[in-house]
Amino acid sequence: MDIQEKLSILADAAKYDASCASSGSKGTRAGSRLGSTEGMGICHSYTPDGRCVSLLKILLTNYCIYDCQYCVNRVTSETRRARFTVDEIVRLTIEFYQRNYIEGLFLSSGIIQNPDYTMEQLALVAKSLRVEHQFGGYIHLKSIPGASENLLEEAGRWADRLSVNIELPTPADLQALAPEKKPPEITDAMDAIKQRLDQYQSDRQAGFKVARFAPAGQSTQMIVGATATPDLEILKTASGLYNQQKLRRVYYSAYSPIPHADARLPGMSPPLVREHRLYQADWLMRFYGFGSSELVAESDGNLSLEIDPKLAWALAHREMFPIDVNRAEREMLLRIPGIGARNVDRILRLRRHHAIRVSDLKKLRVAWNRTASFVQTIDHNPALKQLDAQGLKDRFKPREKQLLLFDTGQSALDGEF
C-alpha cells in the first residue's frame, strides 16, 4: 500500500477525533470545493495564545486490539486497515508544512500490541520532528490510557497538548459498550499528566530552568448520544474533569452510526444542536459561574434544544429578575440572557461614569431581543412587563418553517432538524 492510500484511510479514520469545537462539523455546503469544515485530513485548532492553526489530523494506525462497540476501528470491524511508520508521518508532516498547508500535527492511534508500545510510537513521531527536524509547529498527541508515566512524560516533553479520551460520559456507559477500557486507567493517565503539569509550573515559578511539558495543557473528548445518558450527567462528568484534572477543554462529539453496529447503539446521530447546546453549557460553567446541575431545566435531564441554556435558566428562575444593571454584582450581570462576559465588563466600567439606560445597552450591541425582558435600567424599559407573561418562552423559540419532502429525507439521514 502506498503512502497516498494510507493517508486516505488514516485521515478519514481520524475525523472522529475532536481537536476543537468545530471538528466534525457537517456545515459544508453541497458541491463546495474550498473552505470545507468537515473534520478530515486538515483541521483547525487553537493554540494557547489564541491563534487558529491548521493541523494535519491523522491516525498512526486504525488497527486496534479493542472492540469498543461505538468505534469504526474496533477489532471486529470490517473497515480497511493501514499503518504509518514513524518516518512516514514525520515526512508527511514536514512536506505538508513546507508547502504551507499546515502549521502542526494532530496524531492519534488505535491500540496496537499494548498501550506502552503505541504510546512509544506516538512519542517517537513528536521527538523526531522536534529533535531531527527542529519542527517548531503545534503538536497534539492523543495519550493512551494504561501507558507508563515515563512514556507520558516523554510525550509531553515534545508535544504542545496531550489528551486522554474519556470515551463515554459515565463508567456504566463504558462498561456497557467498551468493557476492555477501564475508567481508572483513563483517570490515572489524566492524573499523571496533571501532576507533571503542576510540577512544571511549580518549578518555573520557583525560577528553575525546566524542560517544557505540554504547555497547552490537556484535554479530553466524550461521545454524546451513543447511550441514553442525559445531558445533566454529561455536564456533571465534565465539571468533575475541570475541577479535578484541571483540563483545558472537554470536547463533545456526537455519535456517528457505524456499519454493522451493536443493536444497543442508536440508528442515527443525535441532532447536532444537542452538541451545540452542550458546548454552550460548558462555556457557561467555565466562564459564567454556572454549576452543572442548575443548567438543565428540562424534566428529562436534557438541555433544551429550542433555546440556549442561559436563557432557559433565566426563564426557569424569573423570581431573580429583573436585574438592575446599575447596581448588580458582576456574578448576577453574567446571568442576564444576551449579555456576554465582555459586555459585562463594559457595563461595569460605564456605570462608574453615568447611570445606564436602554440606549446604552443597545449601543453595546447586547442581544436585546433576549435581554429586554430581564434588565432594569435607569429609564423606562417597556419590555419588563413581559417578564411574568405565560408565553414569554414562545417568543424565543425558532420560527417554524414548512418542511419539504426533500428536507424530511435529509433529516432522516443526518439526524438534524
Side-chain angles (χ1 to χ4, degrees):
M1 184 180 294
D2 63 28
I3 196 167
Q4 187 68 34
E5 198 169 356
K6 289 182 183 178
L7 184 62
S8 173
I9 295 171
L10 295 173
D12 183 66
K15 67 185 178 184
Y16 301 103
D17 277 303
S19 60
C20 65
S22 62
S23 290
S25 166
K26 296 181 180 178
T28 301
R29 292 173 181 271
S32 59
R33 299 177 60 187
L34 296 173
S36 171
T37 58
E38 293 180 344
M40 171 183 167
I42 294 178
C43 70
H44 298 94
S45 188
Y46 290 92
T47 60
D49 58 4
R51 290 180 300 120
C52 181
V53 295
S54 301
L55 304 178
L56 173 62
K57 188 164 77 166
I58 52 176
L59 296 187
L60 174 72
T61 178
N62 62 346
Y63 288 101
C64 190
I65 60 175
Y66 292 148
D67 195 25
C68 306
Q69 295 303 307
Y70 49 82
C71 181
V72 71
N73 298 320
R74 67 190 187 279
V75 67
T76 56
S77 173
E78 296 180 1
T79 189
R80 291 184 68 202
R81 307 284 179 174
R83 177 184 172 181
F84 280 126
T85 65
V86 170
D87 289 341
E88 285 174 335
I89 296 179
V90 170
R91 190 166 72 249
L92 271 176
T93 305
I94 296 300
E95 289 178 355
F96 272 95
Y97 186 81
Q98 288 174 337
R99 287 177 170 83
N100 204 27
Y101 292 161
I102 61 166
E103 296 165 278
L105 172 68
F106 176 97
L107 183 60
S108 183
S109 179
I111 313 299
I112 44 177
Q113 295 191 22
N114 55 59
D116 274 351
Y117 176 77
T118 310
M119 193 70 240
E120 184 180 27
Q121 295 291 298
L122 296 174
L124 275 175
V125 171
K127 183 178 180 180
S128 177
L129 283 168
R130 297 293 194 215
V131 176
E132 297 176 22
H133 300 275
Q134 286 75 52
F135 181 72
Y138 185 81
I139 298 178
H140 180 158
L141 292 184
K142 285 281 182 181
S143 305
I144 309 300
S148 71
E149 291 191 19
N150 289 339
L151 287 170
L152 293 177
E153 183 170 352
E154 177 74 1
R157 184 178 177 188
W158 311 115
D160 292 280
R161 169 165 288 188
L162 297 177
S163 57
V164 184
N165 283 356
I166 195 168
E167 307 288 351
L168 293 169
T170 67
D173 293 333
L174 208 58
Q175 177 62 32
L177 296 178
E180 295 163 298
K181 291 191 173 177
K182 308 299 181 188
E185 286 187 350
I186 296 172
T187 52
D188 285 351
M190 290 179 176
D191 287 339
I193 295 172
K194 176 184 175 296
Q195 289 170 9
R196 188 65 189 86
L197 283 167
D198 290 344
Q199 184 64 45
Y200 170 68
Q201 292 295 340
S202 175
D203 289 346
R204 284 197 62 187
Q205 289 171 1
F208 295 112
K209 288 186 178 180
V210 292
R212 286 160 57 97
F213 183 85
Q218 66 167 325
S219 60
T220 192
Q221 172 188 357
M222 69 172 80
I223 299 170
V224 174
T227 61
T229 301
D231 295 339
L232 177 59
E233 295 303 317
I234 293 171
L235 293 174
K236 284 181 177 178
T237 298
S239 179
L241 292 170
Y242 284 128
N243 292 331
Q244 294 160 22
Q245 272 79 26
K246 306 296 182 190
L247 299 190
R248 290 286 180 89
R249 287 298 304 272
V250 174
Y251 293 109
Y252 308 93
S253 178
Y255 166 71
S256 296
I258 55 177
H260 313 295
D262 188 284
R264 293 168 293 177
L265 291 165
M268 63 173 60
S269 297
L272 286 181
V273 69
R274 183 183 179 191
E275 186 182 294
H276 179 60
R277 296 293 182 225
L278 283 168
Y279 277 115
Q280 288 179 319
D282 185 281
W283 193 264
L284 292 175
M285 289 193 301
R286 290 189 294 142
F287 300 110
Y288 286 73
F290 282 86
S292 56
S293 299
E294 58 183 335
L295 281 168
V296 180
E298 303 295 312
S299 58
D300 62 358
N302 287 309
L303 295 166
S304 171
L305 299 182
E306 296 176 328
I307 55 177
D308 68 76
K310 191 175 178 185
L311 179 57
W313 178 86
L315 288 169
H317 296 84
R318 298 190 206 188
E319 73 281 2
M320 303 183 72
F321 296 92
I323 289 177
D324 187 342
V325 290
N326 287 296
R327 303 172 64 88
E329 299 290 333
R330 185 174 190 276
E331 291 73 17
M332 290 308 300
L333 292 176
L334 285 170
R335 296 197 169 222
I336 301 174
I339 298 183
R342 183 176 298 179
N343 268 335
V344 166
D345 292 335
R346 288 171 177 163
I347 288 169
L348 290 172
R349 288 196 298 270
L350 191 62
R351 73 186 191 185
R352 295 176 192 159
H353 304 286
H354 64 81
I356 293 177
R357 298 174 175 272
V358 169
S359 58
D360 294 319
L361 294 178
K362 290 182 177 179
K363 286 178 183 176
L364 291 175
R365 296 182 181 275
V366 304
W368 185 246
N369 62 328
R370 278 177 281 156
T371 303
S373 302
F374 299 96
V375 293
Q376 181 178 343
T377 54
I378 192 69
D379 56 344
H380 177 57
N381 175 12
L384 267 183
K385 63 183 180 184
Q386 300 171 350
L387 180 58
D388 295 322
Q390 290 282 343
L392 181 59
K393 182 178 179 180
D394 295 334
R395 291 185 58 243
F396 303 111
K397 291 181 179 178
R399 292 182 180 177
E400 295 181 358
K401 66 176 183 179
Q402 178 65 49
L403 293 176
L404 301 176
L405 183 60
F406 176 78
D407 295 334
T408 309
Q410 185 62 35
S411 297
L413 289 174
D414 60 20
E416 292 185 77
F417 65 89

